[in-house]
Amino acid sequence: MDDFIPITTAKKILSSASIKTGALSLEERADIKKVLMLLGHLSMENSIIKSKLEAATATNTTSSPPTNNAQKKTYASTVSEAKTKHTVIIEATDPDISDSIQTFSTFKAKMEKSVNVINKRLYNNKKVIIHCNSSQDVAKVKELLKEDSNIKATVPKKIQPKFIVYGVDRDLNDKEIKDLIIKQNSLEAFENINDMKVIFCKNESENTKSAVIQCPSVAWRHIIQNKHLFLDCSRLRAKEFSLVKQCYKCCRYGHISKFCRNKVCCSKCGGDHSFKDCQTQKTECTNCTHVNNNRKDVNQHIETNHCATDKRCPQFEIKKRIVEERTDYG
């Protein structure tokens, strides 16, 4: 924090005549930059204190009388609530169970009325994924099947959420980025903060790059709520990042072009050529076309008149939702 200046000095700088007239020297410009960093740091500190106070008061809610004044939810808390899914994998252990339909029937016969299941997905490997209403329901399912000899319940391990920060100095390595973010943004007190890790970086310009960073959910919510980070001598924009792998050679999901063994497929028309060699005006998503070809009922067909790389593509939204379901947003 050596770059910060005393508040009294900051007040003098902001009230100086040269600020009002716009006639600023290079030295004064440098001082103003320090003032802005100070103000931003104070805002960050205030947010951290507020988060800790809210966490402390939350533990006493059972003894506090209800109030009619609903607390306004932050973007980060809303995102966390919307994406948190309480998932359980039901798997057959009895060899006489032939498919996932029978697996679910076995589970349903044992399921208690007190367990609230929102929906289910059947898979070909005798597995069923169910989404419960709460973590308490997940615990009930696990306890219910703990001694069962026909089926078993497991909770999938979730990955930590990610965020992307823009405008990072290209000279900074991954360790320096991590250490500076933790130190300059006063994140040391957050639980498991040393698990923070730079996943990858992508060059933006000759001098800057963007960095995708994974971190524990509590720190992630704090960062997303603030929308900015201090890094080195800059205040940089940060936002949520969901990593959906898509191959730009064949346009399929789940891998990247470096490891692709499929034929080239145009992301615009679905033809057997690359996007840069496309000569047609037609737009047809190869992934949505593939889905339609596997659906016998024409009424269930989906629109295909968009590029395979379009972020509004139904298949992209499905893959993104799957990634989010596997992420621990806290």
Side-chain angles (χ1 to χ4, degrees):
M1 304 300 174
D2 297 336
D3 288 329
F4 294 134
I5 59 177
I7 294 178
T8 52
T9 306
K11 287 180 178 178
K12 289 180 182 179
I13 294 171
L14 292 175
S15 61
S16 65
S18 53
I19 284 276
K20 296 173 183 177
T21 60
L24 298 171
S25 65
L26 291 176
E27 185 178 351
E28 286 172 325
R29 290 178 185 273
D31 286 339
I32 289 171
K33 184 177 180 181
K34 291 180 179 180
V35 171
L36 293 174
M37 289 181 67
L38 171 65
L39 293 175
H41 180 71
L42 290 175
S43 174
M44 183 76 74
E45 289 284 357
N46 179 60
S47 177
I48 292 173
I49 293 170
K50 183 179 178 182
S51 298
K52 290 180 178 179
L53 285 173
E54 288 175 352
T57 54
T59 58
N60 297 321
T61 52
T62 53
S63 59
S64 302
T67 175
N68 293 326
N69 297 326
Q71 185 178 1
K72 186 178 180 181
K73 292 183 179 179
T74 63
Y75 167 76
S77 64
T78 303
V79 166
S80 176
E81 288 179 11
K83 293 179 180 176
T84 300
K85 287 203 174 182
H86 307 284
T87 306
V88 183
I89 300 173
I90 309 297
E91 185 176 358
T93 55
D94 184 353
D96 291 335
I97 294 178
S98 58
D99 54 30
S100 57
I101 296 175
Q102 199 172 347
T103 300
F104 183 71
S105 297
T106 306
F107 167 71
K108 193 174 179 181
K110 299 174 183 294
M111 188 175 70
E112 297 177 351
K113 292 182 179 179
S114 59
V115 177
N116 296 315
V117 175
I118 300 173
N119 56 44
K120 68 181 186 300
R121 286 183 188 170
L122 306 181
Y123 290 85
N124 294 329
N125 51 3
K126 303 182 186 181
K127 290 182 180 180
V128 179
I129 291 182
I130 63 171
H131 294 133
C132 297
N133 189 51
S134 67
S135 56
Q136 288 80 9
D137 289 318
V138 171
K140 288 177 184 177
V141 171
K142 288 182 67 179
E143 182 64 27
L144 188 66
L145 302 181
K146 187 167 64 173
E147 304 296 334
D148 198 283
S149 59
N150 299 315
I151 54 176
K152 67 177 183 178
T154 56
V155 178
K157 186 178 180 181
K158 294 192 173 186
I159 60 174
Q160 292 180 333
K162 302 176 184 68
F163 65 90
I164 183 170
V165 56
Y166 300 95
V168 178
D169 191 326
R170 284 180 62 172
D171 291 334
L172 295 175
N173 61 40
D174 291 356
K175 186 178 185 306
E176 289 171 331
I177 293 172
K178 170 187 170 180
D179 292 344
L180 286 171
I181 287 177
I182 294 174
K183 184 178 179 181
Q184 290 187 273
N185 298 278
S186 304
L187 300 178
E188 295 93 340
F190 284 96
E191 185 179 2
N192 299 322
I193 193 59
N194 287 325
D195 290 345
M196 179 182 285
K197 182 172 71 171
V198 177
I199 303 300
F200 66 87
C201 295
K202 184 177 181 180
N203 293 336
E204 296 175 333
S205 68
E206 186 177 345
N207 301 313
T208 64
K209 61 186 177 182
S210 56
V212 172
I213 301 169
Q214 180 174 288
C215 73
S217 58
V218 178
W220 177 86
R221 288 200 305 271
H222 174 75
I223 291 166
I224 297 303
Q225 181 178 340
N226 282 286
K227 300 180 182 179
H228 291 87
L229 283 174
F230 292 106
L231 183 52
D232 202 14
C233 292
S234 303
R235 183 170 181 260
L236 305 177
R237 184 167 63 95
K239 70 173 188 177
E240 174 195 359
F241 183 85
S242 292
L243 180 59
V244 178
K245 289 182 180 179
Q246 184 177 17
C247 177
Y248 290 104
K249 176 187 171 187
C250 72
C251 299
R252 295 299 176 89
Y253 292 98
H255 67 277
I256 56 176
S257 57
K258 181 180 179 181
F259 306 106
C260 182
R261 297 181 179 179
N262 301 325
K263 294 180 179 180
V264 174
C265 182
C266 178
S267 60
K268 181 184 177 185
C269 72
D272 56 354
H273 53 263
S274 65
F275 170 76
K276 64 180 181 180
D277 296 327
C278 187
Q279 301 293 324
T280 182
Q281 298 298 316
K282 181 184 73 170
T283 302
E284 184 174 348
C285 174
T286 180
N287 292 315
C288 289
T289 300
H290 178 72
V291 170
N292 287 344
N293 290 339
N294 288 323
R295 287 180 174 173
K296 296 180 180 179
D297 188 352
V298 179
N299 294 324
Q300 293 184 353
H301 282 193
I302 54 179
E303 291 291 336
T304 62
N305 58 341
H306 55 269
C307 292
T309 53
D310 193 325
K311 302 305 180 187
R312 295 165 296 181
C313 172
Q315 304 315 305
F316 174 81
E317 291 177 351
I318 290 171
K319 299 300 180 183
K320 184 180 179 183
R321 188 162 61 247
I322 291 172
V323 170
E324 290 171 348
E325 288 175 6
R326 294 173 180 172
T327 303
D328 179 15
Y329 292 98

